[in-house]
Every structure is written in structure tokens, then in C-alpha cells.
Amino acid sequence: MTTKKPLKIVETVLRDGHQSLAATRMRTSDMIPMLEQLDEIGYFALEAWGGATFDACLRFLDEDPWERLRTLKKYIKKTPISMLLRGQNVLGYNHYADDVVETFVQRMVDNGIGLVRIFDALNDTRNLEVSMRAAKKAGAHVQGAIVYTISPYHTTENFLKVAKDLVDLGTDSICLKDMAGLLAPYTAYDLVKTIKEKLGVPVDVHCHYTSGMASMTYLKAMEAGADVVDCALSPFALGTSQPATEALVAALEGHERDTGIDKEKLYPIADHFRKVKKDLADTFKLNTAIDIDTKVLTFQIPGGMLSNFLNQLKQQGKADKYPELIEELPRVRAEIGYPPLVTPTSQIVGSMAAFNVILGRYKVVPQEIKDLARGAYGRTPAPIQDVMKEVIAGQKMIEHRPADDIAPQMELLKRKLAEKGYPDATLEDVLSFALFPEVALKFFAANRGPELAAE
């Protein structure tokens, strides 16, 4: 082979792998024994922070997520540590003021993050401006993400427009983020090829295995010129996670896109995490054997969420309504402008569909659906339909960047935390309190003193 262009890999075992298969319950102590070995493999990045890990550390593991990051950085010296950021939502579920976003990004980079993947649930790049600018200023590799989904409005041309907006915002690379396993192989080929040809920017493809297509999608994306793909070591791969690292490395041996990774060095690390997975399943009573679910290709909501909705219907004695719910989900999504179904839009649309089948269409409407319809989360990909316009009749539409309406919050948060008994709180503690106030206070009471309970 005269031309070699190794396919690079982001390893997700420390974040998305266990978030997908083990309810984000992996502890820092489970990671430490393998960090130095992972650092020697030659990965493009090790995804180890962000997503749901911040919340899970505080809420379930009695760990400080900032301390986890500093510990990771102690052991991982060569490979960039990457994290997933929800744009203006940071790692919470609401939009925060610009000063919170800027401070959070600065502190996470100072504490050890080298690559920041930033996305918005609606692909509204206005919600990415502040976090991307802050990450760039802090000196991190900025990876703007396109949330992939399927609808009449989600075409290669429209995704290319989002990619161009990300390039205009200064992204160093683009991630195609396929959170539900919807990206088909030949669609991926066209999308990657178009972005590479039109914009010339590095492309990272991140697929979940939920529908069973992800490995095929990676191969076609690679053929189209993708630079990086995300994989998880085998114990935390497949199901609703990513394709297995070892399998992809083996598949490309001797090929012009050979990763250059020695698969033999992956086996002992995988053996360690196989034990970790069993321990997590036993300790936290988890079902980690998650099958693929091809129904996601029709409903675009992962099977786990459909199971939750079925359980909720059963609790209300309405299990017979489940077939109606399955039909109602795509209908509501269309009526509210075809948002990609990822946190928080998946929960909002799913809840509305459940209300509709139990109580009658739009008889009871949660505020979140009204906020989504009127633009409080950002621009929906398509215009909302007439039925949704009736739902929000008389309410003010938001045409501007939603965070423009949020006054600075950092000084107020510091004062509030001082009133709770923490006048000397670090910036990191203030940020934890900003994102998860009650959970953070409970954690501080147990770990910081004085013995104040969350109010």
C-alpha cells in the first residue's frame, strides 16, 4: 500500500460505553487500574467525562465529578481526554446563562479536558456559539456535533448547512452523532463524502449499535473519508453502545486505513472491564445484557425508552394503549417540527404522546411541550403544525437565541451557596450547584461540611 491513512478511534469505555449499558455506574476506582494502559494504545481520544457522568457521580456514586477528571488526568498523559457537552444546557437539562457556560468550559479544560464535543438537541447552532467560543479560547480541540435523525426535513443538504455553520463557528472537527442507531451505511457514505468534499474538515462518526447497523455504517463512512470513529472495548460494546474496538481494529489490519493499534494490547484491558461490568451488574442490580432493537428504525426512540413507556401505561392500567402510543409518537414529533429525539426532546415528545393516548389528544399539555413549540429550546427543524399552534395560542414565540433572555447567574449562585453555608466554595462546587442544586447540596453535606442537608 502506497497511501496509508490510519482510521483513528475515540475509545468510549470510560463514558458512553457504561452510560449505555450500565446506567453510568462505573466508578473512578474501576477505571484507575487500566488508565495508563489505555493511554499507551494510540487512541485519538479517550472519552471519559460529560454526558450523564457528572450527574451520576454526584447522585449515585458519592463522587465529585471534578475530582474524577483530575484523577483521570493524573494517569492519562498522552491521549486527549474528551467529553460530551450539551451546548447551552452544559450537562444539565435547562439552558444556563452565558457566564455559567463560559466558566464551566474554562474550568473543565483547566482540570484536564482536551477535546470538547458539543451538540444541541435541535441542531440549532445558536445554542452552541458560547460554548464553542469558550472551548476554543481555553485551548481545547472543539468538535461541533450534528445530531443525526430521520425525517422529511433531515436531508444531506440540511445536515451540510449545520456542518457549515459549525465550521463558521470555528470547529476543529465535526462529529456525526447518531444517538439512536439510525444512520444507515450508504447514507453515512453520502453524508461524510459531501462534508469532506464541500468543507474539508475532519469528520468523526459516532454511532450507537441499537439497530444493528453501526459496524456496517462505520465501514462505509471510512470509505467515504471519515477520519475518526467511536468504539467501545468489547465488554461495554454493542447493544445500545458503540461497535467493539477490538473487532474494528482486527477488520482493518493490513488495509490502507489500518488503525495501527495492536489488538493484543486491548485484550487484557477488556478482561479487566469484563470483570467491572459483572461487578456493576451485581452491585447496582443492573441488566447489562441489552439486545439490539430494530424497531428504533421506525419509531426513532430507543427500545429502553419504549419499555419505560409500556411500564408507565401498565401502572395506570392502560397497557392496552401501547399500540396507540407507538403510532402517536411519530405523529407528535411531526406536529412539533420533527426534533431529533435526544435529551431532553425525547422525554418531552414521549410524555406528550403518552398524555394524548391516555387522556385524549392535547387535552392536557405539559409546559415543556409548549416551550419546545414556541422556541424556548431553540428552532425546531421544521415549522410546527396547526394543531401545535392552537396548543400555544396566545403565548409569546421566541425567535432569538433563547439564552439571550437569561441574566448572568454566577454571582447569584455564589451568594446562594454562601447562604447554604459554603462561603468559600470553589468555582467547581458553584458549577456543580448550578447544574444540580439539590443533588450537589446533598453531596456537599456528606463530603464538605458543615452538615447541611439539601433544602
Side-chain angles (χ1 to χ4, degrees):
M1 297 283 178
T2 49
T3 12
K4 288 200 172 183
K5 190 191 172 193
L7 183 67
K8 297 166 187 169
I9 294 178
V10 171
E11 175 58 61
T12 69
V13 71
L14 302 177
R15 202 285 294 178
D16 207 359
H18 70 95
Q19 181 172 320
S20 297
L21 298 184
T24 328
R25 295 298 197 273
M26 193 184 291
R27 301 150 296 202
T28 306
S29 57
D30 298 321
M31 304 174 184
I32 289 173
M34 289 296 123
L35 294 179
E36 289 175 345
Q37 288 186 53
L38 284 166
D39 195 26
E40 294 294 332
I41 294 298
Y43 288 117
F44 180 68
L46 285 165
E47 192 200 42
W49 210 65
T53 61
F54 196 97
D55 185 3
C57 276
L58 290 169
R59 192 183 302 266
F60 302 117
L61 302 178
D62 196 35
E63 287 191 28
D64 184 340
W66 297 100
E67 188 56 40
R68 170 178 290 193
L69 177 54
R70 289 188 285 270
T71 301
L72 290 166
K73 189 59 185 167
K74 260 187 235 169
Y75 293 94
I76 301 169
K77 301 183 186 301
K78 301 177 182 178
T79 314
I81 299 173
S82 77
M83 65 86 66
L84 182 66
L85 191 78
R86 299 186 192 118
Q88 206 70 30
N89 289 10
V90 190
L91 296 174
Y93 303 103
N94 310 300
H95 280 186
Y96 298 93
D98 291 346
D99 64 339
V100 172
V101 177
E102 289 163 349
T103 308
F104 193 95
V105 171
Q106 181 64 58
R107 294 313 301 144
M108 73 191 195
V109 174
D110 286 349
N111 278 282
I113 292 298
L115 187 154
V116 189
R117 177 177 295 167
I118 308 174
F119 79 98
D120 175 68
L122 296 173
N123 284 326
D124 185 342
T125 51
R126 297 174 305 170
N127 292 332
L128 305 179
E129 292 169 8
V130 172
S131 49
M132 286 182 69
R133 193 165 59 234
K136 200 90 176 161
K137 184 180 174 187
H141 177 111
V142 178
Q143 189 175 82
I146 299 168
V147 175
Y148 182 79
T149 189
I150 297 169
S151 86
Y153 288 84
H154 289 90
T155 61
T156 296
E157 293 69 32
N158 284 338
F159 285 127
L160 180 63
K161 183 183 179 305
V162 178
K164 181 159 190 329
D165 288 347
L166 294 172
V167 169
D168 290 344
L169 286 171
T171 195
D172 296 303
S173 61
I174 281 175
C175 173
L176 290 177
K177 179 176 166 53
D178 173 27
M179 65 284 169
L182 300 173
L183 183 57
Y186 291 98
T187 305
Y189 182 92
D190 292 340
L191 201 44
V192 171
K193 196 169 175 53
T194 302
I195 291 171
K196 295 290 291 183
E197 286 177 353
K198 302 280 186 187
L199 301 174
V201 65
V203 175
D204 182 341
V205 182
H206 170 95
C207 289
H208 287 251
Y209 212 84
T210 315
S211 68
M213 293 195 296
S215 295
M216 296 180 280
T217 296
Y218 278 7
L219 285 176
K220 292 308 292 183
M222 177 197 74
E223 288 174 10
D227 302 87
V228 189
V229 294
D230 289 15
C231 295
L233 283 166
S234 53
F236 284 94
L238 309 182
T240 48
S241 180
Q242 283 79 51
T245 309
E246 305 96 308
L248 188 84
V249 168
L252 297 181
E253 283 178 343
H255 187 273
E256 63 184 22
R257 302 297 309 273
D258 190 322
T259 63
I261 290 173
D262 180 355
K263 68 177 183 293
E264 304 294 328
K265 290 182 179 174
L266 298 174
Y267 297 152
I269 307 175
D271 287 343
H272 167 80
F273 284 111
R274 196 165 287 109
K275 290 175 192 159
V276 167
K277 183 179 176 184
K278 184 178 185 312
D279 180 47
L280 295 181
D282 293 343
T283 303
F284 296 104
K285 306 294 184 283
L286 302 171
N287 171 26
T288 58
I290 299 172
D291 296 328
I292 65 167
D293 185 353
T294 54
K295 291 196 296 295
V296 74
L297 296 169
T298 298
F299 308 121
Q300 284 130 48
I301 286 194
M305 187 165 278
L306 287 174
S307 302
N308 286 338
F309 285 136
L310 177 57
N311 288 334
Q312 288 168 25
L313 289 173
K314 279 180 180 171
Q315 285 165 14
Q316 297 182 43
K318 303 279 186 181
D320 59 311
K321 296 278 188 185
Y322 186 66
E324 290 176 50
L325 176 62
I326 296 300
E327 290 179 12
E328 184 66 7
L329 279 165
R331 193 178 299 136
V332 172
R333 180 174 177 246
E335 289 165 349
I336 202 161
Y338 288 106
L341 296 179
V342 65
T343 302
T345 51
S346 51
Q347 291 88 342
I348 294 170
V349 173
S351 297
M352 189 68 258
F355 277 124
N356 282 358
V357 300
I358 293 169
L359 304 169
R361 299 205 87 226
Y362 299 110
K363 297 294 186 192
V364 174
V365 182
Q367 188 58 44
E368 289 83 357
I369 202 89
K370 294 177 184 176
D371 287 343
L372 182 58
R374 67 189 189 90
Y377 291 90
R379 268 190 302 255
T380 54
I384 62 171
Q385 294 180 8
D386 288 345
V387 64
M388 203 57 70
K389 288 177 184 172
E390 289 173 22
V391 164
I392 58 166
Q395 295 206 13
K396 185 184 172 189
M397 294 297 289
I398 297 174
E399 305 291 348
H400 50 269
R401 186 182 74 108
D404 287 343
D405 293 337
I406 308 174
Q409 294 170 316
M410 282 301 294
E411 290 309 314
L412 176 64
L413 288 161
K414 288 175 190 173
R415 283 201 302 276
K416 279 187 176 177
L417 204 46
E419 288 166 10
K420 299 288 185 187
Y422 302 96
D424 302 317
T426 64
L427 267 181
E428 285 82 356
D429 281 348
V430 175
L431 292 163
S432 297
F433 175 66
L435 268 53
F436 302 103
E438 293 178 9
V439 174
L441 284 174
K442 191 175 176 187
F443 176 81
F444 297 156
N447 295 277
R448 298 275 188 275
E451 297 299 316
L452 289 179
E455 293 176 12

